[in-house]
Amino acid sequence: MNDMKMETLVALCKRRGIIFPGSDLYGGLGGTFDFGPIGVELKNNVKKAWWRSVVYERDDMEGLDAAILMHPRTWEASGHVEGFTDPLVDCKSCKKRFRADHVEEKDFQAFKILVPESEDQWKDSGQTLYADSKKSAKALVSALPVTFPQGAHIRVEPVEGQVFHGKRCPECGGELTDPRMFNLMLKTYVGPVEEDAAVVYLRPETAQGIFVNFSNIMDTMRRKIPFGIAQIGKSFRNEITPRNFIFRTREFEQMEIEFFCKPGTDKEWFEYWVNERFNWYIRFGIRRENLRLRPHEKDELAHYALACKDVEYNFPIGWSELEGIANRTSFDLTQHQKFSGKDLTYFDEETRERYIPYVIEPSGGVDRATLAFLADAYREETVLDRERRVLALHPFLAPVKAAVFPLLKNRPELVEIAKKLTADLKKEFYTVYDDTAAIGKLYRRQDEIGTPFCMTVDVDTLTDQSVTIRDRDTMQQERLPIERVADRLHEKLRLN
Ligand code: GAP
């Protein structure tokens, strides 16, 4: 497991305007988060890095931005209405709901709860609870939906012979219902009436928007197989247990590619995309040792997949999925052809063959990638005898590229030069001006949000027309003529 704690990252994100709990003012809305002024830049840069790699730098890809609301038949064809479900259990006692596969099966002992009758007499309260130890039985008492006399000292005693193996409510030890299937798609209504005919879903994946546009794009862009379509956009899932900060939320963004290829070439393309996507994370700064590939076992494959490999990252919560690359075969296009009645076959002019293309799908989460980039970049270190916290983000991802400070804010001529330099740099890079604290503090602020370069205008600037430019990672300072600052930033920020 990554050494850093998720709480450290959550605190940094809140302190520095990166990520806030959703609807914070009203006490939060479970499974939602808001990206603040610094976070929105980071997230936009993650999306730009992806789009650049998979669309601009290639000649076999097209981009798309399909609507979130889609015709309800889409989700029948894709199998989501029928199969996008989790087994859920409800606690009969505290009424909380859990994913059946998240509740641990273990040995339980029955405990009776005793309350004081007189100073040294205890009486049975009539309540029984099930727990795996006396300690957890005591802890569960407070969660029971009954109240004992205020300040009462409660005792729990095992009931001899009442032991069983199974599942009980993890919150209060109560009995659970049998598992029931629960669809994860969020519903809403289109039009003025709330009736069944008007039900639409908030898309649970962006992929289907690509499949339904396959012919539109192939025809208008005169594409031949193999080619791919890339899309970034919001997806929604009514996750039962959203958790671990932005790792699993109810509203999130996906970056998905559907790559259409000839059946028979799919295995090769699958391995190709696994490799491409794994290396993308390294290219943008994730340390190799924090990434690994995990092939899916046959019994965990989605209904549409012939094969799948996850790119996993060593998150603070342990190794977990960052992105999945799946061989979806011709499943989706075949289904949409069936449900829409439209021909989705491809005619290969050269071989005179007609077929439904196979699809390789690299599907990643923007929020999850952002979390991995943040976790990997966070360092607590001592450099030049000074302790600091720094986000060593790849410069392409850094929310703010440069910060400019006047050494003395009460010298208007320094302030003027610093503000002019900021305005000039802003035309090309996201640059900020700051004079609200002493220089040391200003550096620390920028280090914590990962700004690669800080420039200081001092009294010497008035004579040598130069500024001090400080590198975030080495903390080395260099003197540079103002007129060369933009070129230097270009050099340092150029993407290889
Ligand atoms: N089209 C295939 C698909 O949606 P998935 O494995 O369900 O596959 C792909 O999702 C990626 O989307 C995941 O690897 C993850 O990065 C992201 N993702 C899925 N559910 C998420 C959630 N509830 N919160 C944040 N990211 C999520």
Side-chain angles (χ1 to χ4, degrees), residues 38 70 82 92 99 101 109 123 125 129 150 152 217 232 277 281 295 356 388 447 472 481:
I38 302 302
M70 299 183 69
E82 182 103 332
K92 290 183 182 169
R99 263 180 63 168
D101 52 343
Q109 162 74 55
K123 70 169 183 189
S125 71
L129 59 81
Q150 230 198 350
I217 292 179
I232 299 178
R277 296 304 307 141
Y281 291 99
I356 295 191
R388 66 165 185 166
D447 281 348
R472 175 197 69 197

Side-chain angles (χ1 to χ4, degrees), residues 205 237 239 247-249 254 256 321-322 361 363 365:
E205 62 171 10
R237 294 180 191 179
E239 300 280 3
F247 181 85
R248 188 180 304 286
T249 52
Q254 289 185 306
E256 297 200 294
E321 175 186 342
L322 189 51
E361 176 192 72
S363 169

Side-chain angles (χ1 to χ4, degrees), residues 84 204-207 237 239 246-254 256 258 304 310 321-324 328 361 363-369:
F84 195 54
E205 62 171 10
T206 60
R237 294 180 191 179
E239 300 280 3
I246 55 169
F247 181 85
R248 188 180 304 286
T249 52
R250 294 195 168 112
E251 175 179 341
F252 55 98
E253 277 185 277
Q254 289 185 306
E256 297 200 294
E258 306 303 327
Y304 50 72
D310 284 347
E321 175 186 342
L322 189 51
E323 167 160 355
R328 291 183 79 127
E361 176 192 72
S363 169
V366 179
D367 312 72
R368 221 175 261 189

